[in-house]
Amino acid sequence: MTDHASTDASETAAPADTRGRVAELRAIREEAWAGPSERATAAQHGKGKLTARERIALLLDEGSFREVGVLRRHRASGFGLEAKRPYTDGVVTGWGTVHGRTVFVYAHDFRIFGGALGEAHAAKIHKIMDMALAAGAPLVSLNDGAGARIQEGVSALAGYGGIFQRNTRASGVIPQISVMLGPCAGGAAYSPALTDFVFMVRETAQMFITGPDVVQAVTGAQVTQNGLGGAEVHAGTSGVAHFAYDDEETCLEEVRYLLTLLPSNNRENPPVVASKDPADRRCEALVDLVPVDGNRPYDMRAVIEELVDDGEFLEVHERWAGNIICALARLDGQAVGVVANQPQSLAGVLDISASEKAARFVQMCDAFNIPIVTLLDVPGFLPGVDQEHGGIIRHGAKLLYAYCNATVPRISLVLRKAYGGAYIVMDSQSIGADVTLAWPTNEIAVMGAEGAANVIFRRQIAAAEDPEAMRARMVKEYRTELMHPYYAAERGLVDDVIEPAETREVLIGALAMLRNKHADLPARKHGNPPQ
């Protein structure tokens, strides 16, 4: 068989009995399942890539896949298309289960037309997206395609419009996960950007609007495909990709794990898993993990690991905006989203990228009924001309809006410092956190003691015989009067000051209390969040 060719059943004599018809059906299905040719399959494997069906087999539970549209073929003509009408038209669609729960999937078959999208190809994707939304089940796309099928012209482009419309309609209703396993160029890149999570495989996956040739023609810059839109770029620089892995097997296994932390749709809660990690386990290590000195860094990941069930969590956007951590984990078996400043990176300040990263994560958790635990150790917003001109006000407001708009259970904990507007933005009690806690090492204030003393006592310091000694005395006085650990608790700004070792037990108890929380937003078509 030649590439992209297929037997046309209409050109052969029809079998005379049912058994013959069944045999004919089996032969056609086997042809569709096999793909265009062994040579095309070998070429796919030679690039270090699996076929569409091999990928689906890794994603779904064994034997659970039910295909839709296996016999679909295009009806286009011209440019030789009428002689190439392979079954499936280059995309495999259907549903199955992941850990026993229904999941819908479509996978581009790069062996057929390079996985390019044509009218019939798009219609199959539209169908499976509609089915996922109607069934209230997650949708996973396995992307490996060359963009629109040029031979079909605007009909192919219109197919993308239908996908984008359905991505938007399903947003916040069912989890949508895009897995990038090959090229994704031009308008095709917008569908993954509309979904909840983007996974990429290093070296083999790329995403860009205009390719290296166009970039060089317009700007003169020479860049490779991976240098322009590879996994490392999108996971670490652009923030387009949430996860990046070295191989397809690991990538798809992590997709399966992510699905265990998400509900099937926005009307359900995430699955609860029985935990062997005691809810009342004391976390004595926390006492030494976080230094009292606010200028000393530490790894917030170690704090999260100590708190959550079995020390396991899935970090989202690990490589991008490292000064804030967003992670999915479990506390006493219940899925939670953790937002935490990372003192190891930029001292944990909020900047443009960190605000965008955390805002999107908070919105995702709120959409899918995942409680949010916020761990604060934040010295403020990052100062600088670049930040101000880049719109730190606008971008910081995204995080503020996301928290204020969230109706899921929200618990915040101040580990150490929480200064200025960044303290308010990071789910303070004043913007609606349900339970606010602090460790006895906390410092909640408008700014650090040194900065505050320089402002308040500027004249006294300048007039003193020994300005440095006066400054030190004023810093100590300000810290004693306004920054002691119980100042916020005395004024009701935090609900309780707790021992670090009892943090896990307190968090789990608060989550149990809030499990049936109900909050209504004002009647409106939708809000107008800062962009």
Side-chain angles (χ1 to χ4, degrees), residues 270-416:
V272 176
V273 176
S275 175
K276 296 181 180 178
D277 195 346
D280 60 354
R281 171 173 58 82
R282 289 182 63 82
C283 305
E284 301 292 351
L286 292 178
V287 176
D288 299 315
L289 273 177
V290 181
V292 175
D293 182 357
N295 294 319
R296 289 181 58 194
Y298 62 93
D299 190 353
M300 184 65 83
R301 291 188 183 93
V303 175
I304 297 171
E305 185 176 343
E306 184 68 23
L307 291 174
V308 302
D309 291 356
D310 304 311
E312 294 182 359
F313 61 92
L314 179 63
E315 187 169 350
V316 180
H317 273 143
E318 180 181 358
R319 301 284 304 282
W320 181 55
N323 42 323
I324 200 160
I325 296 172
C326 297
L328 291 168
R330 293 188 182 277
L331 283 170
D332 197 28
Q334 180 180 358
V336 296
V338 179
V339 179
N341 306 109
Q342 172 57 296
Q344 275 194 338
S345 177
L346 296 176
V349 298
L350 288 179
D351 60 2
I352 289 173
S353 294
S355 299
E356 289 188 331
K357 170 179 169 178
R360 183 78 193 281
F361 183 75
V362 168
Q363 288 175 175
M364 184 281 300
C365 289
D366 187 50
F368 294 116
N369 308 313
I370 301 172
I372 302 167
V373 175
T374 304
L375 306 178
L376 286 85
D377 191 347
V378 60
F381 282 94
L382 181 64
V385 174
D386 290 344
Q387 288 290 308
E388 295 295 343
H389 288 186
I392 184 63
I393 297 172
R394 175 167 51 86
H395 293 287
K398 293 178 183 179
L399 180 55
L400 181 61
Y401 187 100
Y403 270 125
C404 290
N405 203 47
T407 61
V408 293
R410 292 155 49 190
I411 303 171
S412 67
L413 169 66
V414 180
L415 278 63
R416 202 167 57 172

Side-chain angles (χ1 to χ4, degrees), residues 142-340:
L142 306 180
N143 297 270
D144 185 7
R149 196 174 300 170
I150 300 172
Q151 300 95 318
E152 294 193 29
V154 294
S155 296
L157 289 178
Y160 278 123
I163 294 173
F164 303 156
Q165 182 189 48
R166 288 167 172 82
N167 284 140
T168 304
R169 190 189 310 157
S171 181
V173 180
I174 58 172
Q176 299 180 85
I177 300 172
S178 298
V179 188
M180 316 311 296
L181 303 165
C184 184
Y190 283 116
S191 177
L194 290 168
T195 60
D196 300 300
F197 297 98
V198 176
F199 288 72
M200 293 188 75
V201 174
R202 295 184 178 94
E203 301 303 322
T204 58
Q206 303 90 28
M207 297 172 66
F208 38 70
I209 299 300
T210 55
D213 293 341
V214 177
V215 170
Q216 182 175 359
V218 175
T219 70
Q222 292 185 337
V223 64
T224 65
Q225 287 195 346
N226 280 321
L228 181 63
E232 291 299 319
V233 170
H234 288 311
T237 303
S238 72
V240 171
H242 299 77
F243 306 97
Y245 298 99
D246 290 331
D247 58 80
E248 295 189 18
E249 292 83 358
T250 303
C251 180
L252 292 170
E253 184 58 37
E254 289 299 292
V255 174
R256 286 174 58 87
Y257 177 56
L258 171 61
L259 286 166
T260 67
L261 294 164
L262 302 174
S264 292
N265 56 68
N266 65 339
R267 299 182 301 276
E268 299 180 5
N269 291 323
V272 176
V273 176
S275 175
K276 296 181 180 178
D277 195 346
D280 60 354
R281 171 173 58 82
R282 289 182 63 82
C283 305
E284 301 292 351
L286 292 178
V287 176
D288 299 315
L289 273 177
V290 181
V292 175
D293 182 357
N295 294 319
R296 289 181 58 194
Y298 62 93
D299 190 353
M300 184 65 83
R301 291 188 183 93
V303 175
I304 297 171
E305 185 176 343
E306 184 68 23
L307 291 174
V308 302
D309 291 356
D310 304 311
E312 294 182 359
F313 61 92
L314 179 63
E315 187 169 350
V316 180
H317 273 143
E318 180 181 358
R319 301 284 304 282
W320 181 55
N323 42 323
I324 200 160
I325 296 172
C326 297
L328 291 168
R330 293 188 182 277
L331 283 170
D332 197 28
Q334 180 180 358
V336 296
V338 179
V339 179

